[in-house]
Amino acid sequence: MVERVFDVDKVTGSIPVSRTKIKISMKILSIETSCDDTGISIMEVKGGITNASFEVLANNVSSQISIHIPYGGVFPALAKREHIKNLPIILEKTLKESKIKNKKKPVDLITVTYGPGLEPTLWTGITFAQELAKKWNVPIMPVNHMEGHMLSIFANKKKKFKVLKIKNPALALLVSGGHTELVLIKKWMNYEIIGQTLDDAVGEAFDKVARMLDLPYPGGPEISKLAEQERNKTKNENIKLPRPMLYSKNLDFSFSGLKTAVLYLIKKIEPINKKTKAQIALEFENAAIECLVHKTAKAIEKYKIKTLIVAGGVSANEHLRNKMKEITGKKIKLFLPSKELTGDNSLMIGIAGYLNYIKNKKETPKIDSIKANGNLRL
Ligand code: KG4
Ligand code: ZN
């Protein structure tokens, strides 16, 4: 859209000056199906990488939690079936809510998660995007789910948001059900992983420990709810768990030993009542978060970090959020996603997709060449 603005020169008072203010805006449809959430959104976007601004026209996420509860975790074949069933329904709802009149070509670009995640579910989103792209004759920008989480810090519920300038060097701690990594951000789209888990992801550890304590899936919110109830009460000195790799020289993590330690602890003190369950939840949360916080603080010091981003499903954890506020203080700018956008959503895929689209000078891969990559790295 080109908007011409004519105004009278205030100094001379007579010469009309014509300024051409180019306002290029485009509509993007974003799709997220990397795990058990089906997300579709439409946003109107404008600006370059450093001043991109977004307006959410419609945003929907359908969670499959209730379907996976009986399995105690995500059952991939079932997740795939649900995505296939939900995608057309959510698309229709999203298009309707967006109030876009052009039915032949409602958007100018499609962004879709192509990894990391569960390959069968990633494929459902990709093939759905490919069909739409052909029908509407629009390009597709494939997106890395973890880059999406990183950029979710800018999205909010107010419907309009901007990609803010951040001070470099910046660091991101990405914590989810499949990932735990410390990422050095040289600039957007230019990353270096400087630390990561050597075994389980921290979210996975929360989920597995929750299962040991007979708490429903997903375990993270359940453990943290119990832990918060117990936080300011007298400590049970018999309930102690290790902090794996806390003093290792590198910036890596390990959560599998911590999970096993919980199993042995439960066996030692069985039968466990409600109170001890909450005490175990608290000690586990303290141990896991202490590992995350300690290595993040170490990375901040080593790389003279000026901006810290904490994102991914586990960034909903209140104790983690509080501890990160403590270590950053006033000197380091801390960005956290709003609570409702810590989990998987397609707004973050839209932000990452758009920034990559601009960075690639609007070049996109051939539609049929886009493939799911479950192990995609930043
Ligand atoms: O990013 P996400 O929604 O999906 C993946 O990409 O994996 O992260 C899901 C993970 C689950 O393991 C879940 O238990 C964990 O995030 N989680 C939490 C909390 N809320 C969600 N972990 C700890 N505390 C929470 N409050
Ligand atoms: Zn995620």
Side-chain angles (χ1 to χ4, degrees), residues 64-310:
Q64 303 176 2
I65 286 178
S66 57
I67 289 153
H68 298 288
I69 281 179
Y71 304 92
V74 180
F75 190 54
L78 209 58
K80 177 182 166 178
R81 199 189 71 190
E82 283 303 300
H83 284 305
I84 293 172
K85 195 178 85 189
N86 289 336
L87 280 165
I89 302 168
I90 300 175
L91 174 71
E92 205 186 310
K93 183 170 188 281
T94 309
L95 281 170
K96 203 169 162 194
E97 287 170 6
S98 74
K99 299 198 169 72
I100 292 171
K101 293 202 176 76
N102 187 345
K103 305 285 178 231
K104 274 197 178 147
K105 192 185 174 187
V107 297
D108 309 289
L109 173 72
I110 296 175
T111 69
V112 63
T113 308
Y114 75 113
L118 303 169
E119 283 202 7
T121 66
L122 288 165
W123 272 117
T124 64
I126 292 170
T127 47
F128 191 70
Q130 286 167 330
E131 281 164 25
L132 290 177
K134 286 175 193 167
K135 186 171 147 196
W136 295 337
N137 193 25
V138 295
I140 299 180
M141 183 48 88
V143 174
N144 181 316
H145 181 80
M146 299 318 287
E147 187 172 33
H149 272 304
M150 207 186 295
L151 290 158
S152 68
I153 54 164
F154 297 120
N156 64 42
K157 248 190 157 179
K158 279 187 236 148
K159 300 246 172 203
K160 279 189 184 181
F161 56 85
K162 278 191 167 144
V163 168
L164 302 175
K165 275 209 176 94
I166 62 164
K167 274 194 188 159
N168 288 327
L171 176 74
L173 172 71
L174 303 179
V175 276
S176 70
H179 290 79
T180 306
E181 50 197 22
L182 278 167
V183 184
L184 189 63
I185 305 170
K186 294 166 185 171
K187 55 182 182 179
W188 294 126
M189 278 79 73
N190 188 345
Y191 311 112
E192 185 192 342
I193 298 176
I194 54 170
Q196 61 195 313
T197 181
L198 303 180
D199 38 59
D200 292 355
V202 63
E204 189 183 351
F206 267 89
D207 294 337
K208 286 179 178 166
V209 167
R211 222 182 304 171
M212 292 176 200
L213 295 173
D214 275 330
L215 297 168
Y217 171 83
E222 297 291 328
I223 297 239
S224 98
K225 219 189 307 167
L226 274 189
E228 284 320 305
Q229 285 168 17
E230 198 59 30
R231 184 159 299 283
N232 298 317
K233 299 191 182 148
T234 328
K235 261 195 143 182
N236 182 341
E237 294 303 329
N238 293 324
I239 294 178
K240 273 214 172 97
L241 290 166
R243 272 73 174 148
M245 291 182 74
L246 196 65
Y247 296 109
S248 71
K249 282 205 177 103
N250 54 30
L251 295 169
D252 292 333
F253 308 94
S254 166
F255 293 102
S256 128
L258 176 58
K259 175 194 71 187
T260 314
V262 176
L263 190 69
Y264 286 132
L265 180 68
I266 292 173
K267 280 197 176 143
K268 202 173 98 188
I269 58 174
E270 255 172 349
I272 48 171
N273 58 27
K274 236 176 141 185
K275 175 84 178 161
T276 39
K277 202 186 251 197
Q279 287 168 332
I280 296 171
L282 176 63
E283 174 63 4
F284 166 75
E285 181 175 275
N286 283 346
I289 303 298
E290 197 176 326
C291 297
L292 295 175
V293 172
H294 189 83
K295 290 288 168 87
T296 305
K298 202 167 158 178
I300 288 176
E301 210 181 299
K302 183 169 175 193
Y303 292 93
K304 315 240 171 319
I305 294 299
K306 294 200 178 110
T307 306
L308 175 67
I309 293 168
V310 182

